Amino acid sequence: MRQLLSGGRKHGRDSDDGANGRRLPGRPRSEQARQAIFRSTLKLLQRSSFSGLTIEAIAADADVGKATVYRWWPNKGALVVDAFASSAEPELHFPNTGSVYRDMSLQMAQFLGVLRSPRGRIVAALLAGGQSDPELLTAFRERFLRPRREEAYKTLRRAIERGELPENLDLDVVLDTLYGAIYMRFLIRHDELSENYIREVCSLVLGGPLRKQTSRPKLRRKALGICATGS
Amino acid sequence: MRQLLSGGRKHGRDSDDGANGRRLPGRPRSEQARQAIFRSTLKLLQRSSFSGLTIEAIAADADVGKATVYRWWPNKGALVVDAFASSAEPELHFPNTGSVYRDMSLQMAQFLGVLRSPRGRIVAALLAGGQSDPELLTAFRERFLRPRREEAYKTLRRAIERGELPENLDLDVVLDTLYGAIYMRFLIRHDELSENYIREVCSLVLGGPLRKQTSRPKLRRKALGICATGS
Amino acid sequence: MRQLLSGGRKHGRDSDDGANGRRLPGRPRSEQARQAIFRSTLKLLQRSSFSGLTIEAIAADADVGKATVYRWWPNKGALVVDAFASSAEPELHFPNTGSVYRDMSLQMAQFLGVLRSPRGRIVAALLAGGQSDPELLTAFRERFLRPRREEAYKTLRRAIERGELPENLDLDVVLDTLYGAIYMRFLIRHDELSENYIREVCSLVLGGPLRKQTSRPKLRRKALGICATGS
Amino acid sequence: MRQLLSGGRKHGRDSDDGANGRRLPGRPRSEQARQAIFRSTLKLLQRSSFSGLTIEAIAADADVGKATVYRWWPNKGALVVDAFASSAEPELHFPNTGSVYRDMSLQMAQFLGVLRSPRGRIVAALLAGGQSDPELLTAFRERFLRPRREEAYKTLRRAIERGELPENLDLDVVLDTLYGAIYMRFLIRHDELSENYIREVCSLVLGGPLRKQTSRPKLRRKALGICATGS
DNA sequence: AGATAAGCGAGACGGTACGTCCCGTCTTCTG
DNA sequence: CAGAAGACGGGACGTACCGTCTCGCTTATCT
């Protein structure tokens, strides 16, 4: 996962921190340039789409030679995913409230916040670009999706231990159903993507909180309770 | 909605079928060229991605002047969506089996078939392109999504009338949850997109068929039945 | 010379004036369109160069179908030369003052007036276009140059008869030397093209008028001494 | 005058030969590409006219990117004039025989040789193109015409010092009359452009050589009689 | 009067070249 | 040896005209 899409140059990050602590000869990589490139990438990506973003523009905006970009990233996708990862890491953790419904809907609401922020454009750009660049998609999965999913597993397993969810549940199916509902409205934009929508999705998939039951009793009873036992 | 993304030329389709039956002066649009362009677009799109597809290549493949393409479609996206819609219309209908679960899962399996076929690339291309071109996304929604959704509403309403689903159900939430699960795995490709996955999603969201109960009794009872009553 | 560059259609000009006086069936050529095309051609040529002039623009400006232009003129050059000839005929005649110097310099001054007028652009355009289109050059010679040259021969022969010029003079050499001096400054634009320049050229080639002698005594005395005193 | 029509890029010719001898950073301009472009330009110009010449064809023939052409020359004319100047510099000098007539007619015959060679097409192309592109014409004057004219002045001044020509002669008028006669027949092509024509023009304007008098006695006697006998 | 014929405007057609943009690579000098 | 600068061959962009074509309509002569 490390350096997923980056080039394998001499002075790249992670290359000189071996046990010996020796550095290679020659000028070391400019951390300043690296960050300027990230900054410009994210900045430009908020104005244009993935396909409208050009290395030329990034290099110009970052006051950096085009070759410096190509030296460290093999293509646009690798750079974008790196820039995204470098900026998005610390957010989006799962709470532990003692209720799956609350844990999941809170985290999904956080995620919704990200999608609505300027960084939402970047997520869209990554997924768009990933449709024609498998490595970009891989990077998105490894660097963004997987870390969150690991946490989500824990949240769901806690719910199973508490008895809130059945034991033989396929966690991936649950998570893809929950998050798929978000991604769908985010990517296709055919309907409102609101906190209330998230609550309804969670209710539908996880069973809602007590106060929700009165408003949707029939679905639960009919679709799953009675139907299940009575027929 | 008609001619959503097409140029506003004189001899466009739908322009001469008014009540008067008169044609405009000037050479009429070449239906032959139009179809050759569609054919080449779909053909090339199965080999390359949306961004790798070029108008130049389409025109060359269709033995058509580049200007003829630009005369009728303002951009690549408009052309692709038109070509896709012209080829995808007649499929993907909903059966009426008397069971929501069966109706929905059958149609979703059909849809899965499309996504797995060469035309799946086109759906991916449209959604990717749509992230930077709102009109493309609009066209996708109007020409592809909406017709299917109208049918889906009917299917769900039949289920409500039969008492399979509760009356105050938000149909859009149900549909986005079901199809979002498909789109998510289709676009992010992090996990298998199989008929079995579809069945599990339908079970989770709609409640499974009778024969499925034995295999997943706990989920239903725990997640929704017992949980609902017990908490 | 007739219809030098025009196409050979049925209803073209000069086609129905045969002995029989019969017209062909079918709609006759529109004289109105013909003149509108000429008008637009000359108008547009004053703004742009020959190569910058387009049939498309002429047709649009003349409110005429592009095919109507192509029906009657095989190419841009033919049209331009036709338009020019239709507008320039009546000018540029030679006076008969009894002095070659005066006859020639007066006519050359008239010509200078044409070159300085908006029509000068057209002469330049014709000669420029003629460098890559032999027919255009031929048309320029036949329709514009030759008629004037015929008159010029007469003027020079009168001078020979009067004894102003020697008998075995090559008239073409004299005329090309005189007019070449004008064309050179007109086309290369390296120096002033004034009435005074014309007088000096005439003096140099033909011998100047008596009153010019004081200002340029040595050249005159040497080059044309006897001539000057003898006439 | 230097770089008359060339673009103002960093690594253009003449840009690094300052006193310091330092080069600018960045890849230097490819001399190889420059010469290949010139070669192809001249080669193609001998087959087609100025307007038929395309940058696209030049770039293809020179195995060079189209952008490389546009990087250094703003338009076709600038390129053509540059290519022409780079190939025509060393010729067309004036002899010093002790006779204006001989000096001028010899040089004019050399010039005639150029006009008749494949390079003649280029001169025609330049003057044609120059009618719609003032900069092209300027370049032609500065790079081609002026150097020759400087030499011509010296030739004529020598003649004045020798007493062959009068002192107050307007040299430009003489030269434009002589060369105008050539340019006129070259550009309009209405009559033969031969060495004999040149001799006749020189005789007419400068007074012929002694041995020429027998062949054209009347003109000479009248026009230049005294001069001829008195010298 | 009707048939036949040709010109008219409009405007779409397959093409070609335009001049621009960016690609990803390269070559050079500077730090 | 990295970095900036910037030129390189390449290729697609979207536009402008080319000269041709197919329309519906108009204006004539010929039967």
Side-chain angles (χ1 to χ4, degrees):
Chain A
M1 182 168 68
R2 296 280 55 215
Q3 287 298 104
L4 228 176
L5 290 175
S6 299
R9 291 319 193 81
K10 307 292 170 54
H11 276 298
R13 305 184 88 217
D14 311 331
S15 66
D16 58 333
D17 50 4
N20 53 5
R22 299 272 292 276
R23 304 177 106 275
L24 292 166
R27 181 174 176 175
R29 178 172 182 185
S30 159
E31 181 61 22
Q32 191 179 324
R34 187 173 156 272
Q35 292 187 359
I37 290 168
F38 280 163
R39 220 176 305 125
S40 298
T41 302
L42 296 172
K43 170 181 157 197
L44 295 174
L45 209 43
Q46 284 163 24
R47 296 189 193 144
S48 69
S49 67
F50 181 78
S51 61
L53 182 72
T54 69
I55 300 276
E56 197 114 6
I58 292 170
D61 187 273
D63 260 321
V64 141
K66 217 170 26 157
T68 300
V69 179
Y70 282 108
R71 187 159 16 239
W72 299 110
W73 294 275
N75 53 55
K76 193 169 59 171
L79 170 55
V80 167
V81 100
D82 241 27
F84 176 64
S86 83
S87 82
E89 308 274 5
E91 304 180 44
L92 297 179
H93 294 297
F94 284 73
N96 186 351
T97 64
S99 150
V100 225
Y101 173 88
R102 252 176 289 155
D103 286 357
M104 293 305 301
S105 60
L106 280 170
Q107 200 275 347
M108 285 165 76
Q110 279 183 56
F111 180 39
L112 178 58
V114 170
L115 295 184
R116 273 178 183 155
S117 77
R119 280 221 314 278
R121 284 201 69 107
I122 301 177
V123 175
L126 283 169
L127 290 175
Q131 298 313 307
S132 55
D133 179 351
E135 292 196 11
L136 185 51
L137 210 47
T138 300
F140 176 78
R141 286 193 301 259
E142 298 295 327
R143 315 265 291 243
F144 179 72
L145 199 72
R146 195 156 75 174
R148 261 116 228 131
R149 186 139 295 207
E150 300 290 354
E151 279 198 67
Y153 289 152
K154 288 179 199 156
T155 300
L156 293 183
R157 284 199 200 101
R158 277 197 307 266
I160 291 171
E161 283 167 18
R162 281 194 304 265
E164 278 191 286
L165 295 177
E167 281 173 11
N168 59 349
L169 191 61
D170 186 325
L171 303 186
D172 286 313
V173 171
V174 173
L175 292 172
D176 290 344
T177 306
L178 288 170
Y179 286 92
I182 294 184
Y183 279 110
M184 184 166 179
R185 288 207 178 174
F186 175 61
L187 293 173
I188 302 188
R189 292 176 148 70
H190 56 295
D191 212 335
E192 194 190 18
L193 183 49
S194 61
E195 276 82 2
N196 191 54
Y197 173 64
I198 287 176
R199 280 191 293 269
E200 294 200 55
V201 170
C202 287
S203 292
L204 184 57
V205 175
L206 300 171
L210 293 179
R211 66 182 175 281
K212 277 281 162 187
Q213 286 197 314
T214 48
S215 70
R216 326 183 63 234
K218 294 213 180 126
L219 171 62
R220 293 303 114 213
R221 212 175 307 146
K222 272 199 175 169
L224 303 161
I226 293 172
C227 162
T229 57
S231 57
Chain B
M1 182 168 65
R2 296 278 58 216
Q3 289 297 105
L4 233 175
L5 288 175
S6 298
R9 291 320 194 82
K10 307 293 167 55
H11 277 298
R13 306 186 86 219
D14 311 332
S15 65
D16 58 330
D17 50 4
N20 52 7
R22 299 276 289 276
R23 302 179 104 279
L24 291 167
R27 182 175 176 171
R29 178 173 182 181
S30 160
E31 181 61 23
Q32 192 178 324
R34 187 174 155 271
Q35 291 186 359
I37 290 168
F38 280 163
R39 221 176 305 126
S40 298
T41 301
L42 296 172
K43 170 181 156 195
L44 295 174
L45 208 43
Q46 285 162 23
R47 296 188 194 149
S48 70
S49 67
F50 181 78
S51 61
L53 181 72
T54 68
I55 300 274
E56 197 115 9
I58 292 170
D61 187 273
D63 259 319
V64 141
K66 214 169 25 155
T68 299
V69 179
Y70 283 109
R71 201 174 349 254
W72 299 111
W73 295 276
N75 52 57
K76 195 169 56 172
L79 170 55
V80 168
V81 95
D82 239 28
F84 176 62
S86 84
S87 82
E89 307 271 8
E91 304 181 45
L92 300 177
H93 294 297
F94 285 73
N96 186 353
T97 64
S99 150
V100 226
Y101 173 89
R102 252 176 288 155
D103 286 358
M104 292 305 301
S105 60
L106 281 170
Q107 200 275 347
M108 285 164 76
Q110 279 184 57
F111 181 39
L112 178 57
V114 170
L115 295 184
R116 272 178 183 154
S117 78
R119 282 219 312 274
R121 287 199 69 109
I122 302 178
V123 175
L126 284 169
L127 291 176
Q131 298 313 307
S132 55
D133 180 350
E135 292 196 9
L136 183 52
L137 210 46
T138 300
F140 176 78
R141 286 193 302 259
E142 298 293 331
R143 312 264 294 245
F144 179 72
L145 200 69
R146 194 156 74 172
R148 263 112 228 133
R149 185 138 296 206
E150 299 289 354
E151 280 198 67
Y153 289 152
K154 288 180 199 153
T155 299
L156 293 183
R157 285 199 199 101
R158 277 196 306 265
I160 291 172
E161 284 166 18
R162 284 194 301 263
E164 279 191 286
L165 295 176
E167 282 173 9
N168 59 349
L169 192 61
D170 185 325
L171 303 185
D172 285 312
V173 170
V174 174
L175 291 171
D176 289 345
T177 306
L178 287 170
Y179 286 92
I182 294 184
Y183 278 112
M184 184 166 178
R185 287 207 179 174
F186 175 62
L187 293 173
I188 303 187
R189 292 177 148 70
H190 56 294
D191 213 335
E192 194 190 18
L193 183 49
S194 61
E195 276 82 2
N196 191 53
Y197 172 63
I198 287 176
R199 281 191 293 269
E200 294 200 53
V201 170
C202 287
S203 292
L204 184 57
V205 175
L206 301 171
L210 294 180
R211 65 183 176 283
K212 275 283 160 188
Q213 284 196 316
T214 48
S215 69
R216 323 181 70 232
K218 295 215 178 122
L219 171 62
R220 291 304 111 213
R221 214 175 304 146
K222 271 196 174 169
L224 303 159
I226 293 174
C227 162
T229 57
S231 57
Chain C
M1 184 167 66
R2 298 278 55 215
Q3 287 299 102
L4 230 175
L5 290 176
S6 297
R9 290 318 192 83
K10 306 292 168 54
H11 277 297
R13 306 186 87 217
D14 311 331
S15 65
D16 59 331
D17 49 4
N20 54 5
R22 302 273 288 276
R23 301 177 109 275
L24 291 167
R27 182 175 177 171
R29 177 172 183 182
S30 158
E31 181 62 22
Q32 190 180 324
R34 188 174 155 270
Q35 291 186 0
I37 290 168
F38 280 164
R39 221 176 305 125
S40 297
T41 301
L42 296 172
K43 170 181 156 196
L44 295 175
L45 249 191
Q46 285 162 22
R47 295 188 194 145
S48 70
S49 68
F50 180 78
S51 60
L53 182 73
T54 69
I55 300 276
E56 197 112 8
I58 292 170
D61 187 274
D63 259 319
V64 141
K66 215 167 37 154
T68 300
V69 179
Y70 282 109
R71 190 163 11 242
W72 300 112
W73 294 274
N75 53 54
K76 190 169 62 171
L79 169 56
V80 167
V81 99
D82 240 28
F84 177 62
S86 83
S87 82
E89 308 275 3
E91 303 180 45
L92 299 178
H93 295 297
F94 285 73
N96 186 353
T97 63
S99 150
V100 225
Y101 173 88
R102 251 176 291 155
D103 285 358
M104 292 304 301
S105 59
L106 280 170
Q107 200 275 347
M108 286 164 76
Q110 279 182 57
F111 181 41
L112 177 58
V114 170
L115 295 184
R116 274 178 182 153
S117 78
R119 280 221 314 276
R121 284 200 69 106
I122 302 177
V123 174
L126 283 169
L127 291 175
Q131 298 312 305
S132 54
D133 180 350
E135 292 194 12
L136 184 53
L137 209 48
T138 300
F140 176 78
R141 286 194 302 258
E142 298 294 330
R143 314 263 291 242
F144 179 74
L145 200 70
R146 193 155 76 172
R148 261 115 228 131
R149 185 139 296 205
E150 300 290 353
E151 280 199 68
Y153 288 152
K154 288 180 199 155
T155 299
L156 292 183
R157 286 203 198 95
R158 280 198 306 266
I160 291 172
E161 282 166 20
R162 283 195 305 262
E164 277 191 287
L165 295 176
E167 281 172 10
N168 59 349
L169 191 60
D170 185 325
L171 303 186
D172 284 315
V173 170
V174 173
L175 292 172
D176 288 346
T177 305
L178 287 170
Y179 285 93
I182 293 183
Y183 278 110
M184 184 167 180
R185 287 206 178 176
F186 175 62
L187 293 174
I188 303 187
R189 292 178 148 67
H190 57 294
D191 212 337
E192 193 190 20
L193 182 49
S194 62
E195 276 82 1
N196 191 53
Y197 172 65
I198 286 177
R199 282 191 293 268
E200 293 200 57
V201 170
C202 287
S203 292
L204 184 58
V205 175
L206 300 171
L210 294 177
R211 66 181 177 282
K212 274 285 160 185
Q213 285 199 315
T214 48
S215 70
R216 321 181 71 233
K218 294 225 174 113
L219 172 62
R220 289 306 111 211
R221 210 177 303 147
K222 274 194 170 171
L224 299 159
I226 292 172
C227 162
T229 56
S231 61
Chain D
M1 181 169 65
R2 299 279 56 217
Q3 289 298 104
L4 233 175
L5 288 177
S6 298
R9 291 317 194 84
K10 305 293 167 55
H11 277 298
R13 304 186 87 220
D14 310 333
S15 65
D16 60 331
D17 49 4
N20 54 5
R22 299 278 287 277
R23 304 178 104 281
L24 291 167
R27 182 174 177 173
R29 177 172 184 181
S30 161
E31 182 61 23
Q32 192 179 323
R34 188 176 155 270
Q35 292 186 359
I37 290 168
F38 280 163
R39 222 176 304 126
S40 298
T41 301
L42 296 172
K43 170 181 155 196
L44 295 174
L45 209 41
Q46 285 162 22
R47 296 188 194 147
S48 70
S49 68
F50 181 78
S51 60
L53 182 72
T54 68
I55 300 273
E56 197 114 7
I58 292 170
D61 187 274
D63 260 320
V64 141
K66 215 168 29 155
T68 299
V69 179
Y70 283 108
R71 188 157 23 235
W72 300 111
W73 295 276
N75 51 56
K76 194 169 57 173
L79 171 55
V80 168
V81 96
D82 240 28
F84 176 62
S86 84
S87 82
E89 308 273 6
E91 304 179 45
L92 300 178
H93 294 297
F94 285 73
N96 186 352
T97 63
S99 150
V100 225
Y101 173 86
R102 250 176 291 155
D103 285 358
M104 292 305 300
S105 60
L106 281 171
Q107 200 275 347
M108 285 164 77
Q110 278 183 58
F111 180 41
L112 178 58
V114 170
L115 294 184
R116 273 178 183 153
S117 78
R119 281 220 313 276
R121 285 199 70 106
I122 302 177
V123 175
L126 283 170
L127 291 175
Q131 298 313 305
S132 55
D133 180 350
E135 292 196 11
L136 183 52
L137 210 47
T138 301
F140 176 78
R141 288 193 302 258
E142 298 294 331
R143 312 264 294 246
F144 179 73
L145 200 71
R146 193 156 76 173
R148 262 113 228 135
R149 185 139 297 206
E150 299 290 354
E151 279 199 68
Y153 289 152
K154 288 182 198 151
T155 300
L156 292 183
R157 286 203 199 97
R158 279 199 304 267
I160 292 172
E161 281 166 21
R162 283 194 304 263
E164 279 192 285
L165 293 177
E167 281 173 9
N168 58 351
L169 191 61
D170 185 325
L171 304 186
D172 284 314
V173 171
V174 174
L175 291 171
D176 288 345
T177 305
L178 287 171
Y179 286 92
I182 294 183
Y183 278 110
M184 184 167 179
R185 288 206 177 175
F186 175 61
L187 293 174
I188 303 187
R189 291 178 147 69
H190 57 293
D191 213 337
E192 193 189 21
L193 182 49
S194 62
E195 276 81 1
N196 191 52
Y197 172 63
I198 287 176
R199 280 192 293 271
E200 294 199 57
V201 170
C202 286
S203 292
L204 183 59
V205 175
L206 300 170
L210 294 177
R211 67 182 175 282
K212 276 283 159 186
Q213 285 198 315
T214 48
S215 70
R216 321 181 71 234
K218 298 229 173 106
L219 171 63
R220 289 306 111 211
R221 211 177 303 146
K222 273 198 171 171
L224 300 159
I226 292 174
C227 164
T229 55
S231 60

